[in-house]
Amino acid sequence: MSAAVTDLSVRDFSERLASREPTPGGGSAAALAGALGAGLVSMVCNFTVGREKYADVEERMQAVLARSEELRRELEQAVEDDVAAYGGYSEAQRMPRESEDEQSAREAALDAALRESTVVPLGVAERCAELLSLAVQAAELGNRFLISDAAVGAELAAAALSSAELNVRLNLGGIEDEEFARGVRERLDAVSEGAGGRELVERAAAIVRERAGG
């Protein structure tokens, strides 16, 4: 069994991205960017909760921390899920197709793998949309000496969201089941309409400038 991608060192992960290996690729990189953004939001929270100076926002920051940690773990898992989804598609491509039964089995396997390759980045996009909101809250309420980290977290979440959306729309082009495709598009449209995207990134940056007095 191959080692988990998330167990690689930063250098090894980067080298794998740059190599001729097909995984990890853009989908895993997007999920990792989201996980890093969640980690930064959690860091801001951890330097805020339990401090007397921020006692009035303790409960809210505890809630942000709990959710950002959930999202971090889920996005880390999505790094692995993206690799597995590509592996499933690659295996399906290698299936025999000499007989009609073999062709049918191969097509079914390719379809299932492509669906999974679509659902994984969709989940990344949905999680990063939520993370954007948490990053803004961390910037608004968190320890003022770390709020720039919250803004960086927002930037990473926005980049991950946009990247995941690209992957979803690309994979949808190969799916013939229009009902499935329509459901995915509806979820993706809801993310795009509700996330705030660059508006929330700019809001986080503006909060940082205001609280830093600059």
Side-chain angles (χ1 to χ4, degrees):
M1 181 180 294
S2 60
V5 174
T6 47
D7 288 337
L8 295 172
S9 69
V10 173
R11 179 175 289 108
D12 287 344
F13 189 95
S14 177
E15 288 179 353
R16 282 275 294 275
L17 281 179
S19 74
R20 292 177 62 86
E21 293 290 328
T23 58
S28 292
L32 179 58
L36 294 175
L40 286 171
V41 172
S42 293
M43 183 177 72
V44 176
C45 294
N46 278 318
F47 276 91
T48 306
V49 298
R51 302 204 173 194
E52 184 177 353
K53 183 176 181 179
Y54 300 100
D56 58 331
V57 297
E58 173 79 14
E59 186 174 343
R60 292 175 66 186
M61 290 300 281
Q62 285 278 14
V64 172
L65 175 59
R67 185 56 183 151
S68 65
E69 281 297 274
E70 289 177 350
L71 291 174
R72 181 173 65 84
R73 290 188 290 270
E74 291 169 3
L75 288 163
E76 286 178 355
Q77 182 59 49
V79 175
E80 303 292 347
D81 292 343
D82 184 80
V83 171
Y86 181 88
Y89 190 82
S90 182
E91 289 178 8
Q93 286 182 310
R94 293 193 295 269
M95 291 176 64
R97 46 180 167 175
E98 297 300 322
S99 67
E100 289 187 7
D101 287 345
E102 288 177 341
Q103 289 177 14
S104 296
R106 182 177 182 272
E107 289 174 5
L110 283 169
D111 180 69
L114 190 55
R115 287 170 185 254
E116 184 66 12
S117 296
T118 303
V119 169
V120 171
L122 177 59
V124 170
E126 290 173 332
R127 289 174 175 86
C128 288
E130 183 179 357
L131 180 59
L132 269 169
S133 177
L134 296 179
V136 170
Q137 293 181 62
E140 289 175 331
L141 306 174
N143 188 318
R144 65 182 297 270
F145 294 107
L146 284 92
I147 52 177
S148 62
D149 296 291
V152 174
E155 290 279 6
L156 288 169
L161 194 164
S162 297
S163 301
E165 181 178 355
L166 284 172
N167 286 330
V168 173
R169 295 197 185 281
L170 175 64
N171 290 333
L172 276 177
I175 293 176
E176 297 181 0
D177 184 340
E178 186 52 40
E179 183 177 353
F180 174 84
R182 182 168 56 252
V184 170
R185 290 191 186 96
E186 289 175 354
R187 287 173 61 182
L188 198 59
D189 289 343
V191 168
S192 299
E193 293 170 4
R198 293 305 307 175
E199 180 181 340
L200 287 180
V201 171
E202 291 166 8
R203 181 178 171 189
I207 291 169
V208 170
R209 289 192 296 270
E210 179 181 346
R211 293 189 64 192

